[in-house]
Amino acid sequence: MVTSFFLVAYAGVYSFYSSQVLLRLNEPPVYYVSSNATYVNNIVLSYRMGVNYTDFEAVPGWNVLGGSWSWPVQGFSGKGYGGSGNPAISVMSTTLSSSETWFVSSKVFVPSNDGIYRGIVLYESSGRFFLLAIYGLSRLVILEFRNNWRTLSSVAINVQAGWYILNSTYTPSSGSIFLEVYDASGNRIASTSASSSRVSPVMAGVGVRGGSGSFDDFIISYARNGVVTVSGLASGWTAILYDSSGVVASSVAGSSGVVELNVRVKPIVRNATIVIKDQLNNNVIASQFYVHVVGGDGLVLHRYNMMPYSILGENRTSFSCKINATRALHVFDYDLSGYSVAYRWLNYSLGTNNYVSIKAFVHVFNLTDPLSQGVVLLEVEAKNGTQVTYFSFYYYGGNQVHAGSYQVSLDINIPHFYAITLYMNGSKLKVSYYVDGVRVNSEAYNVGVLTVSGFAAGRYATSNMYDMYLDMVSAEFGTQSMQPLYEDFDSGVDNFFINSYSSGDAGKNVVYYTFPIRFLEGYFSGSISYLMSCTVVSSSVSGQPSASLWLYNGLEHSTQVKIVKGVIVYTSTSDLLVDKYRQVFFYFNGTFPSYSNVELKLEFFYKIGEGVRVAYPLDVESGV
């Protein structure tokens, strides 16, 4: 984060310019409040250690290697997976690493003390595998099958009929196996361990010996899958993980700013929401995760303070502050014969119970589009077999954005978080569109073999022009084989859209940018309506910055005080009426080349009656 700054100062003297009368009021009719909108908060997936997982709500698509298997059956919560045989074995198709430690867990239903083995299978071949199981209601066992059964370890337990959680660890390099069992509330009951090099598993799944069994919430990971880690918090802040039924887990951060959320009972959290609260129990952010949060995940809070310095003066009639500029990706097209596409190539196969999601903070403006071709704010390109298809946010001008086939009304003067998620369930593809964490559209398709080709922003069109800024671009994937991507451009380099292309006076670059920020709020007491505006009195500009300042009354925006490449082109905002909402918001944004600076002396006016106006001076400084 590289800081530019924006300095505002207000005097407590009321100047009535028409009559030159000076008044001092103890309770001015207009007063200022520091904005609570100066932080940009974003939680993203920083790593995923879940190699493969399923809660069996979707078609499992597993390999049946013995016995008879059926889906769906009654699970612990919703749907489950059931098999019968002697043995019955079903495994995920993923070949696991021989250099990583495996963490494998599953829920299993035990109906009675029936002498049946039900549990986790670590599989090499039909003649060689381990079965890590509950035997009836009486024992926790580790069995080896190498053409014959052999008990490697066994410990007595005394439990009642019901669902249990088996959690195991296997280290291929040493052959060591650890197995523990929890009740359905997450209370640990017993554990056992063994070691064997006679079997060399390559896959994992579930199995039954001597009867039938039901399973749910299966996960393989290369890290502990009973916790979700959240980092980037302040000491004393609380992270709370929710699903649609309520709180899943919560924890308070210490001095490290890191918490571990216990998800042993629910390691696959659908429709998850993470809420971060400060020491005073105020919400810092509530962020929806668009498909799953999974045991072993690492999440990180990125928190940008756009105004690290502010002072609210006596009587709330003076205010000073600094506003940060951060590096962002500028995608632009200034050529009606050119084009610019920021692109990331993937070629990611999207199998069943898998997903991909992309999110970005985007501000678009200055669109010239005579042929109504629009500009892509964010897009996922995919292939259904050989057929290319696009899932996009498009902007065609005005205050609407197209989210797939649906139009969303937005305030385009400010940036928004846009997200697109593709989720496969068998041959069904669900595409969801989100704006600022709220789902605005969902569409469903029947597909064959789906491959995600890549992500894009911009437009491969030769008859429009625009400016677009992106920050905090992230992508996440359903499995560990493709780790999450994140780019905030603070290094000065774009490491996300690495396959971009352009032509003419168009392209992309990383610049210092202040996204439009509401840096101050004004409140109007009483029942009088006011007209208000801002005007530049004097200025000093060095370098070639571009910056804007404007007002918003809850219904409409004023025109802008505007600097373009170091030249002040508009010195006043238009008048706005403060009536219905009794408040006004002050906004600022700008682009700052290195060693550029803006110093403005302005006056904020509000008018009382015919010919009488009150002026507050504003001193504005911003630069890099």
Side-chain angles (χ1 to χ4, degrees):
M1 173 69 67
V2 179
T3 301
S4 69
F5 60 91
F6 172 81
L7 178 62
V8 184
Y10 297 91
V13 177
Y14 291 67
S15 298
F16 293 78
Y17 282 80
S18 59
S19 59
Q20 297 300 309
V21 177
L22 299 180
L23 298 178
R24 295 186 182 276
L25 304 177
N26 291 327
E27 295 183 0
V30 180
Y31 61 92
Y32 296 93
V33 176
S34 298
S35 174
N36 61 1
T38 60
Y39 279 91
V40 179
N41 300 297
N42 188 26
I43 300 179
V44 299
L45 183 69
S46 59
Y47 60 84
R48 168 153 287 164
M49 300 307 290
V51 181
N52 220 328
Y53 55 88
T54 178
D55 57 7
F56 297 109
E57 296 306 308
V59 179
W62 284 23
N63 296 328
V64 173
L65 302 175
S68 175
W69 290 85
S70 58
W71 178 88
V73 301
Q74 180 59 50
F76 174 77
S77 176
K79 298 172 184 177
Y81 190 42
S84 61
N86 190 25
I89 297 174
S90 186
V91 300
M92 287 187 159
S93 58
T94 305
T95 299
L96 301 174
S97 171
S98 61
S99 61
E100 298 279 356
T101 297
W102 307 357
F103 296 80
V104 187
S105 67
S106 179
K107 288 190 177 75
V108 56
F109 182 70
V110 183
S112 64
N113 195 19
D114 52 12
I116 296 173
Y117 297 87
R118 303 173 175 92
I120 294 166
V121 170
L122 307 179
Y123 186 85
E124 178 185 357
S125 67
S126 59
R128 295 186 180 190
F129 55 85
F130 297 116
L131 178 59
L132 289 50
I134 294 180
Y135 174 67
L137 298 170
S138 62
R139 302 199 72 82
L140 183 68
V141 300
I142 299 175
L143 303 179
E144 176 190 274
F145 186 81
R146 197 170 183 270
N147 297 318
N148 291 291
W149 289 103
R150 183 166 73 110
T151 300
L152 299 180
S153 180
S154 177
V155 63
I157 57 174
N158 183 14
V159 296
Q160 304 298 312
W163 283 93
Y164 293 89
I165 303 166
L166 290 176
N167 182 57
S168 66
T169 304
Y170 173 66
T171 305
S173 60
S174 64
S176 64
I177 304 169
F178 176 77
L179 176 64
E180 56 187 349
V181 60
Y182 296 79
D183 66 20
S185 297
N187 300 305
R188 191 169 180 268
I189 298 170
S191 66
T192 188
S193 61
S195 182
S196 173
S197 58
R198 288 159 40 93
V199 175
S200 299
V202 293
M203 292 184 286
V206 293
V208 182
R209 177 188 175 192
S212 62
S214 299
F215 303 88
D216 205 347
D217 291 340
F218 182 89
I219 179 170
I220 310 168
S221 67
Y222 292 148
R224 292 181 301 144
N225 53 40
V227 297
V228 169
T229 302
V230 184
S231 61
L233 310 184
S235 179
W237 287 12
T238 302
I240 310 170
L241 174 61
Y242 294 86
D243 68 0
S244 56
S245 63
V247 175
V248 175
S250 67
S251 185
V252 179
S255 59
S256 68
V258 179
V259 300
E260 288 189 341
L261 302 176
N262 187 338
V263 294
R264 175 65 63 203
V265 174
K266 191 172 287 188
I268 304 165
V269 185
R270 285 180 177 264
N271 302 313
T273 297
I274 295 282
V275 175
I276 307 297
K277 292 181 176 288
D278 64 18
Q279 297 94 327
L280 300 178
N281 206 38
N282 299 311
N283 274 14
V284 175
I285 184 175
S287 181
Q288 181 177 5
F289 279 78
Y290 305 112
V291 180
H292 296 143
V293 169
V294 183
D297 280 355
L299 310 177
V300 61
L301 172 65
H302 294 280
R303 182 168 168 81
Y304 293 106
N305 186 353
M306 302 304 293
M307 194 170 67
Y309 168 79
S310 64
I311 297 177
L312 187 65
E314 187 179 1
N315 294 326
R316 293 179 291 182
T317 58
S318 64
F319 185 78
S320 63
C321 69
K322 291 181 180 179
I323 292 180
N324 281 340
T326 184
R327 283 185 168 120
L329 183 67
H330 183 203
V331 181
F332 61 92
D333 186 347
Y334 301 149
D335 187 344
L336 287 175
S337 299
Y339 58 84
S340 177
V341 178
Y343 192 78
R344 174 67 178 246
W345 182 80
L346 280 180
N347 194 34
Y348 180 68
S349 180
L350 202 63
T352 186
N353 197 37
N354 197 358
Y355 74 92
V356 62
S357 180
I358 183 171
K359 180 168 68 170
F361 194 55
V362 183
H363 181 218
V364 63
F365 56 99
N366 290 340
L367 177 64
T368 300
D369 195 15
L371 299 183
S372 298
Q373 293 183 318
V375 58
V376 171
L377 308 184
L378 201 61
E379 182 172 79
V380 179
E381 178 186 346
K383 286 185 178 180
N384 179 18
T386 59
Q387 181 183 359
V388 179
T389 187
Y390 302 91
F391 307 101
S392 317
F393 280 103
Y394 259 92
Y395 177 60
Y396 292 92
N399 282 316
Q400 286 191 327
V401 169
H402 292 239
S405 61
Y406 182 74
Q407 296 184 37
V408 184
S409 295
L410 293 175
D411 183 356
I412 298 297
N413 289 277
I414 61 175
H416 299 278
F417 276 109
Y418 299 91
I420 305 170
T421 294
L422 278 62
Y423 173 62
M424 283 288 291
N425 181 356
S427 61
K428 301 288 186 180
L429 173 66
K430 181 180 179 180
V431 183
S432 299
Y433 299 85
Y434 299 81
V435 178
D436 296 329
V438 177
R439 187 169 63 191
V440 296
N441 187 26
S442 289
E443 299 170 353
Y445 305 88
N446 291 317
V447 299
V449 179
L450 192 75
T451 302
V452 177
S453 304
F455 303 131
R459 189 69 167 97
Y460 186 65
T462 57
S463 60
N464 61 8
M465 299 189 297
Y466 58 86
D467 282 286
M468 181 164 57
Y469 292 86
L470 297 90
D471 202 357
M472 292 175 281
V473 183
S474 62
E476 64 179 78
F477 309 89
T479 64
Q480 182 270 345
S481 61
M482 181 71 83
Q483 284 297 297
L485 304 171
Y486 180 77
E487 180 60 86
D488 59 13
F489 310 104
D490 283 353
S491 67
V493 178
D494 173 16
N495 291 309
F496 192 95
F497 295 106
I498 57 176
N499 309 108
S500 303
Y501 48 96
S502 63
S503 174
D505 187 8
K508 68 180 179 72
N509 56 1
V510 176
V511 299
Y512 293 111
Y513 187 63
T514 300
F515 283 88
I517 176 179
R518 190 174 77 211
F519 66 90
L520 184 65
E521 300 172 9
Y523 285 82
F524 289 60
S525 62
S527 57
I528 300 174
S529 297
Y530 299 94
L531 283 174
M532 65 219 166
S533 63
C534 281
T535 297
V536 176
V537 176
S538 63
S539 64
S540 174
V541 179
S542 61
Q544 290 191 321
S546 296
S548 301
L549 184 147
W550 69 98
L551 308 175
Y552 178 57
N553 66 0
L555 292 173
E556 60 180 330
H557 296 267
S558 71
T559 60
Q560 298 177 350
V561 170
K562 201 171 198 53
I563 301 169
V564 178
K565 293 185 177 180
V567 178
I568 299 179
V569 293
Y570 298 109
T571 58
S572 298
T573 71
S574 57
D575 287 343
L576 279 185
L577 179 67
V578 174
D579 186 9
K580 181 178 179 181
Y581 291 101
R582 315 302 303 160
Q583 58 188 348
V584 59
F585 303 111
F586 294 74
Y587 283 87
F588 175 84
N589 87 302
T591 304
F592 296 95
S594 297
Y595 309 111
S596 60
N597 191 71
V598 173
E599 296 182 15
L600 297 177
K601 292 186 179 297
L602 307 96
E603 286 184 329
F604 167 66
F605 296 100
Y606 67 94
K607 299 178 181 179
I608 305 176
E610 185 66 29
V612 180
R613 63 181 184 174
V614 181
Y616 294 173
L618 274 76
D619 293 336
V620 177
E621 239 184 279
S622 186
V624 176

